[in-house]
């Protein structure tokens, strides 16, 4: 079968001679129609980060990334009941394998869910990051009129904005921060009220001008109770990590910072505001099973438009170009159209 093979940082190729996997007991084999390139895949592509968790080895030794995909069930493993060959499904794997024609998926509500009618395979390949956004918003427990900042508006940060808007949460300002103008433009299109390009100057001053400031014995802050860090730490980018800026921005008391973005190694930041302001800092890793279903239902109902976030589509044969494109400033989400028929 055809499969992507991650070789080294900056080098990924397509192989046509990979062994088709066989589902183990409790698994199904999925014929993949579409697979997304995730931000974590880019961390690996840049500097080998998370390689042991993002690429599944074939018997030939090929390392196949891809953990967010959609397709049809091609085969049932021993003991699997309640599923049928040919069903349209979304799959999520913990260690890659989805950038290939076939991949095995355990049958459990965290990793396998049925696709509703009216949702394309290309859209469905973005289900997992949409569910990630739903979990982050749930954890933030946003209250009426609270201002919100979203650091990093790739597919995850944009999904956070879509989750807020689709659920009718009566937020105050929603400020998107990124260094790529194409992503900031898309954030405004889907529901952000304001954007800040971090390349243009002091982020604290820009956000404070939008949301106002707070001042007291705890110091000076922006009026931003809720911050989503969907950027993490990218080693080659200049300036303080977003988490440090988030700690400066977050409200003087009662603030919540939800961290999702990946970290390319250790980093040094000023942690003083943690003591001064007493914010709650929460990690967010994945989603609840019902949020996979909710993400698909939001797509089916037209409450979120995931197609608008897909900036580029490539066949598996062009896997190297697809990864290079996802690294470009004009790319929002790159999806691999594995069988070049993923519209149905």
């Amino acid at each position: 079968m055809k499969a992507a093979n991650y070789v080294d940082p900056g080098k990924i190729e397509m192989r046509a001679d990979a062994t088709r996997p066989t589902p183990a007991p409790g698994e199904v084999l999925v014929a993949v129609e579409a697979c997304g390139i995730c931000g974590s895949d880019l961390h690996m592509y840049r500097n080998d980060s998370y390689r042991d968790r993002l690429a599944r080895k074939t018997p030939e030794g090929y390392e196949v990334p891809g953990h967010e995909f959609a397709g049809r069930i091609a085969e049932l493993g021993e003991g699997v009941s309640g599923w049928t060959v040919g069903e349209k499904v979304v799959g999520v794997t913990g260690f890659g394998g989805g950038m290939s024609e076939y991949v095995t998926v355990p049958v459990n509500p965290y990793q396998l869910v049925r696709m509703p009618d009216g949702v394309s395979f290309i859209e469905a390949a973005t289900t997992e990051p949409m569910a990630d956004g739903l979990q982050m918003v749930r954890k933030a427990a946003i209250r009426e009129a609270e201002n919100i900042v979203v650091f990093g508006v790739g597919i995850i940060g944009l999904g956070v904005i879509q989750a807020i808007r689709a659920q009718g949460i009566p937020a105050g300002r929603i400020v998107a921060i990124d260094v790529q103008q194409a992503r900031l433009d898309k954030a405004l299109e889907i529901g952000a009220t304001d954007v800040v390009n971090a390349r243009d100057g002091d982020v604290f001053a820009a956000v404070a001008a939008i949301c106002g400031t707070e001042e007291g014995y705890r110091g000076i802050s922006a009026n931003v109770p809720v911050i989503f860090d969907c950027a993490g730490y990218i080693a080659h980018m200049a300036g303080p990590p977003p988490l440090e800026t988030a700690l400066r921005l977050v409200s003087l008391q009662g603030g919540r910072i939800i961290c999702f973005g990946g970290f390319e190694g250790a980093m040094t930041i000023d942690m003083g505001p943690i003591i001064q302001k007493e914010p709650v800092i929460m990690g967010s890793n994945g989603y609840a099973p019902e949020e996979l279903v909710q993400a698909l239902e939001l797509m089916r109902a037209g409450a979120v438009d995931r197609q608008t976030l897909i900036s580029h589509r490539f066949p598996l044969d062009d896997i190297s170009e697809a990864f290079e494109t996802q690294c470009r400033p004009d790319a929002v989400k790159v999806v691999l159209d594995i069988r070049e028929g993923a519209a149905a």
Side-chain angles (χ1 to χ4, degrees):
M1 69 171 185
K2 290 183 177 181
N5 176 35
Y6 171 67
V7 181
D8 283 307
K11 185 176 182 181
I12 190 167
E13 62 186 8
M14 194 281 289
R15 302 293 305 218
D17 58 342
T19 298
R20 171 173 160 162
T22 300
E27 293 183 337
V28 298
L29 181 71
V30 173
V32 182
E33 294 279 351
C35 182
I37 297 178
C38 179
S40 56
D41 294 324
L42 284 192
H43 286 297
M44 178 180 71
Y45 183 69
R46 282 193 291 261
N47 61 17
D48 254 1
S49 297
Y50 313 115
R51 183 172 188 163
D52 59 336
R53 285 178 272 168
L54 292 173
R56 183 187 303 197
K57 284 193 176 182
T58 71
E60 296 79 13
Y62 305 147
E63 297 189 38
V64 187
H67 56 270
E68 50 186 55
F69 51 88
R72 298 180 187 272
I73 294 178
E75 187 179 339
L76 304 178
E78 181 183 345
V80 172
S81 61
W83 299 85
T84 58
V85 170
E87 280 192 280
K88 296 191 295 183
V89 294
V90 167
V92 183
T93 58
F95 50 98
M99 294 181 187
S100 62
E101 291 183 299
Y102 295 93
V103 63
T104 55
V105 184
V107 175
N108 65 61
Y110 286 94
Q111 294 183 273
L112 191 70
V113 63
R114 289 179 174 87
M115 284 175 53
D117 291 337
V119 177
S120 71
F121 288 114
I122 288 289
E123 291 172 288
T126 72
T127 301
E128 190 264 354
M130 184 70 223
D132 293 335
L134 288 165
Q135 169 162 286
M136 283 186 276
V137 172
R138 169 171 53 83
K139 286 190 169 192
I142 301 164
R143 295 185 281 270
E144 185 172 358
E146 285 188 319
N147 294 324
I148 296 163
V149 161
V150 182
F151 277 96
V153 282
I155 191 71
I156 298 295
L158 292 169
V160 166
I161 296 169
Q162 287 187 322
I164 293 167
R165 293 307 192 194
Q167 295 177 98
I169 297 170
R173 313 301 296 183
I174 300 178
V175 184
I177 302 174
D178 206 294
V179 295
Q180 309 297 357
Q181 193 59 45
R183 296 183 177 189
L184 293 171
D185 292 343
K186 185 60 67 175
L188 285 172
E189 181 183 315
I190 65 167
T193 60
D194 307 89
V195 296
V196 172
N197 192 318
R199 296 186 191 274
D200 291 344
D202 185 85
V203 171
F204 181 94
V207 174
I210 295 165
C211 298
T213 58
E214 301 174 343
E215 187 169 356
Y217 77 92
R218 295 175 183 270
I220 300 175
S221 180
N223 179 20
V224 181
V226 179
I227 299 176
F228 297 95
D229 179 6
C230 304
Y233 171 59
I234 300 174
H236 70 269
M237 294 189 68
L243 181 56
E244 179 169 319
T245 306
L247 287 168
R248 289 185 60 212
L249 285 170
V250 73
S251 294
L252 294 180
Q253 194 166 19
R256 288 93 73 202
I257 302 173
I258 296 85
C259 297
F260 182 92
F263 291 79
E264 293 182 354
M267 64 181 189
T268 302
I269 67 172
D270 177 6
M271 302 291 279
I274 291 180
I275 307 302
Q276 297 163 354
K277 301 180 183 181
E278 302 178 296
V280 174
I281 302 175
M282 291 177 274
S284 188
N285 181 12
Y287 45 83
E290 58 268 24
E291 283 157 344
L292 280 180
V293 177
Q294 182 185 6
L296 283 162
E297 175 55 25
L298 290 172
M299 294 181 217
R300 185 205 65 78
V304 298
D305 180 1
R306 302 295 280 175
Q307 288 276 14
T308 191
L309 307 187
I310 299 167
S311 56
H312 300 81
R313 291 167 59 163
F314 288 92
L316 187 56
D317 288 359
D318 296 337
I319 184 69
S320 180
E321 184 181 355
F323 266 76
E324 283 301 304
T325 299
Q326 186 67 83
C327 293
R328 287 184 355 211
D330 63 319
V332 178
K333 182 66 170 181
V334 175
V335 174
L336 296 164
D337 190 345
I338 302 295
R339 297 171 192 274
E340 298 190 74

